[in-house]
Amino acid sequence: MIVLGLSSGTSTDGIDVAAARLTLAEDLVRLAPLGHFTVPYSDELKGRIHTALPPARTTLEAICRIDTGIGQEFAEAARIGIAELTDGHTDLIASHGQTLFHWVEGTNVRGTLQLGQPAWIAEATGLPVVSDLRVADVAAGGQGAPLAALMDVLLLGDLKTPAAALNLGGIANVTVVHGNAPPEAFDTGPANTLLDTATRMVTEGRRDFDVDGVLARSGRPDPALLEHLLTEPYYRLPPPRTTGPELFGPEYLDRALQHVGRPSNEDLLATLTELTAVTVADALRPHSPTRVLASGGGVHNPALMERLTNHLAPAPLHTSADLGMDPDAKEAYLFALIGFLSRYGLAGSLPACTGARRAPVAGRLTPGTEPLRPITPATTRPRRLIIEPPNP
């Protein structure tokens, strides 16, 4: 089955599109990447999303416009992906949409909201769409995250020594595989979300992120601000735990700066870079991983990667490219994998990592213009994932 995965993370940079040829043989999944690209959101839609994010007040009219706008822009991205990545031969689309709110109370997730109406995608492409990929896990008592643990465990499960997969999106999340012991996965805290907020602050909105970590590398962490930020209770919650911009949003940074005082622009970014590195390393230290494989937009920030390398030592820091998975496209390929498994009646999350009572099939299915093709449900849960070159 050829599946197109669509996603947009908490940084709201744009729409990641990835195509994969997936095959299932008993407990083995083979994934052949067919290519990927990113389509930026239109300025108008990006502005609407940012205006509606918590703790901002919004209206049902605004939510309807955002849901429609995301659906339409995802639909256009899917149409381009089908033409450019699969030469028109796609069987299924898996759309994560855009998270607008993740309802967390303490260590409990009460609900989650991803917008991007899938009917627009189905109408534009004629293909069935699997969407709402998190809410089934939440309904089963889970965190609805990190869903990346599904792919991480399948990729790392054969390793004999503890290893960790680290995703550096808006929020940082880790999956730790211990060989024969149950895996663990959780959000460690902010990765890029506070850094991006600070960059917009110090550049007066001219930049959405610190290109190549230049500003952060020219500053030094401010001890008082870093100490204050590290008192955040979230870092001491036991896993499984999940968070998002509902906690680590612009208001969070504003409050911290009002309490401690604002350092120089460069020192502010250096402090937030150090915060991410310290909290990731502290979260992984009890697991003693022998290697850490990073993915997500944060891998392109040299300042962040340098500080992570320093704090994670002696465990070496590499990227998911070592396993054949492009760090920029991992999440889009993840959602393609989850959509593929859903069509075979297989679970899209791991209860050991999300805290769910059981492993539910993920998502809801929106038909395309043709009747759905019957698929015989699979009876064996996948245990391994191999990334292989695309067929000629």
Side-chain angles (χ1 to χ4, degrees):
M1 189 183 294
I2 294 178
V3 185
L4 198 72
L6 307 173
S7 71
S8 181
T10 52
S11 295
T12 64
D13 297 326
I15 305 162
D16 293 325
V17 183
R21 179 180 292 106
L22 289 135
T23 57
L24 177 65
E26 296 183 351
D27 68 347
L28 174 64
V29 178
R30 297 182 183 274
L31 187 156
L34 300 179
H36 66 91
F37 59 83
T38 299
V39 179
Y41 278 132
S42 67
D43 291 341
E44 179 183 0
L45 179 57
K46 190 170 185 177
R48 288 183 184 275
I49 294 170
H50 284 168
T51 300
L53 288 174
R57 293 177 177 272
T58 189
T59 65
L60 289 176
E61 177 187 355
I63 294 300
C64 181
R65 289 177 181 271
I66 291 169
D67 190 37
T68 299
I70 295 173
Q72 290 172 337
E73 295 199 11
F74 267 58
E76 178 61 15
R79 191 190 61 77
I80 296 170
I82 292 168
E84 295 187 359
L85 302 179
T86 73
D87 196 25
H89 302 292
T90 303
D91 300 299
L92 179 70
I93 297 172
S95 175
H96 173 265
Q98 177 70 59
T99 297
L100 267 288
F101 192 74
H102 201 59
W103 179 14
V104 184
E105 294 180 356
T107 59
N108 297 315
V109 174
R110 304 297 188 186
T112 188
L113 178 65
Q114 286 74 47
L115 296 185
Q117 179 53 240
W120 292 102
I121 306 171
E123 180 65 24
T125 64
L127 295 173
V129 181
V130 181
S131 61
D132 264 356
L133 300 174
R134 296 186 185 274
V135 72
D137 185 83
V138 173
Q143 302 276 314
L147 296 184
L150 176 74
M151 175 177 279
D152 295 336
V153 170
L154 292 175
L155 281 171
L156 301 175
D158 286 342
L159 298 179
K160 304 302 180 185
T161 56
L166 166 65
N167 182 61
L168 297 167
I171 298 297
N173 60 67
V174 294
T175 303
V176 183
V177 177
H178 305 269
N180 293 327
E184 291 187 60
F186 52 95
D187 290 347
T188 65
N192 298 315
T193 183
L194 294 183
L195 279 166
D196 293 346
T197 295
T199 301
R200 287 190 288 269
M201 179 188 300
V202 305
T203 66
E204 297 180 342
R206 294 189 304 275
R207 294 185 189 173
D208 285 333
F209 59 93
D210 182 11
V211 180
D212 294 329
V214 170
L215 293 173
R217 293 175 95 175
S218 62
R220 300 180 65 181
D222 181 270
L225 178 58
L226 181 61
E227 181 180 0
H228 173 74
L229 291 170
L230 287 172
T231 63
E232 167 56 50
Y234 176 81
Y235 302 127
R236 284 167 285 284
L237 293 176
R241 65 180 193 239
T242 185
T243 189
E246 300 79 24
L247 174 59
F248 295 109
E251 294 283 334
Y252 183 90
L253 183 57
D254 287 343
R255 289 194 300 271
L257 295 180
Q258 290 171 11
H259 187 273
V260 179
R262 177 172 167 173
S264 70
N265 292 342
E266 294 79 7
D267 288 358
L268 173 59
L269 288 161
T271 304
L272 297 175
T273 300
E274 187 74 0
L275 175 70
T276 293
V278 167
T279 52
V280 167
D282 285 350
L284 287 177
R285 191 167 292 112
H287 305 283
S288 301
T290 57
R291 61 192 297 201
V292 180
L293 298 161
S295 61
V299 303
H300 299 295
N301 183 333
L304 179 56
M305 293 297 280
E306 286 170 7
R307 299 313 299 150
L308 281 165
T309 298
N310 179 269
H311 284 288
L312 290 170
L317 176 65
H318 300 289
T319 74
S320 60
D322 287 7
L323 300 176
M325 178 60 65
D326 189 307
D328 289 328
K330 183 182 172 187
E331 283 212 325
Y333 283 122
L334 163 69
F335 297 126
L337 171 65
I338 293 175
F340 172 75
L341 295 177
S342 293
R343 284 294 278 132
Y344 278 99
L346 295 168
S349 58
L350 296 177
C353 297
T354 67
R357 294 182 296 274
R358 64 181 188 90
V361 177
R364 59 183 169 111
L365 186 62
T366 301
T369 54
E370 301 293 330
L372 287 173
R373 178 168 59 92
I375 293 178
T376 302
T379 57
T380 302
R381 180 173 62 88
R383 297 182 183 277
R384 293 177 297 151
L385 172 65
I386 294 176
I387 308 297
E388 56 186 21
N391 295 330

